[in-house]
Amino acid sequence: MYEHILIPVTFDEACDTSAAIQAAKALCNENARATFLHVVEPLPHYVDAHINITLEERSLPFLNDRLNKMAEQLPGATGVVTHGAAGREIVDWAANNGVDCIAISSHRPVFSDIFLGSTAAWVVRHAQCAVHVLR
């Protein structure tokens, strides 16, 4: 059983976090805590240069609201929004915040994942704690 479980969250249709939430419920100690983490990846420079108001400023309240609603499903859970490359940020956040298990949902791999690697695959290869990958 784990003391602090990290549940990375993406808000696209291809990735469902319900299995990760159920896994976290099963894997948590009685007094464990969980963190729902959403990583905002930087926009490409050619897009960022043409936007007057940052998308982050406009979307941050929406992201926090969604994370807080997810956190209501686990006692003592919180939501965090961070910035950077998703795989690296998930692993770094886990290492810096005492996470002992990452429960990450994964989409079905596609051919390009063989060469580029998916976020879940990157987390599995680089995390210093247990990682449960769910499909």
Side-chain angles (χ1 to χ4, degrees), residues 62-85:
F62 168 78
L63 295 173
N64 283 322
D65 185 50
R66 295 271 311 262
L67 288 172
N68 289 332
K69 286 182 180 172
M70 286 181 166
E72 291 173 359
Q73 298 178 56
L74 290 170
T78 58
V80 174
V81 177
T82 188
H83 308 86

Side-chain angles (χ1 to χ4, degrees), residues 20-88:
I21 294 169
Q22 293 306 314
K25 286 180 181 178
L27 296 169
C28 281
N29 281 340
E30 186 176 316
N31 296 322
R33 58 192 179 117
T35 303
F36 289 87
L37 179 74
H38 178 74
V39 180
V40 177
E41 296 204 38
L43 290 172
H45 294 293
Y46 59 86
V47 173
D48 195 33
H50 298 288
I51 298 176
N52 293 333
I53 300 173
T54 65
L55 291 176
E56 178 184 347
E57 290 174 358
R58 296 179 69 197
S59 64
L60 196 56
F62 168 78
L63 295 173
N64 283 322
D65 185 50
R66 295 271 311 262
L67 288 172
N68 289 332
K69 286 182 180 172
M70 286 181 166
E72 291 173 359
Q73 298 178 56
L74 290 170
T78 58
V80 174
V81 177
T82 188
H83 308 86
R88 180 177 309 275

Side-chain angles (χ1 to χ4, degrees), residues 2 5-6 20 23 27 100-105 124 129-134:
Y2 299 102
I5 295 183
L6 180 64
L27 296 169
D100 54 357
C101 179
I102 300 170
I104 187 168
S105 298
V124 167
C129 62
V131 179
H132 292 268
V133 180
L134 303 125

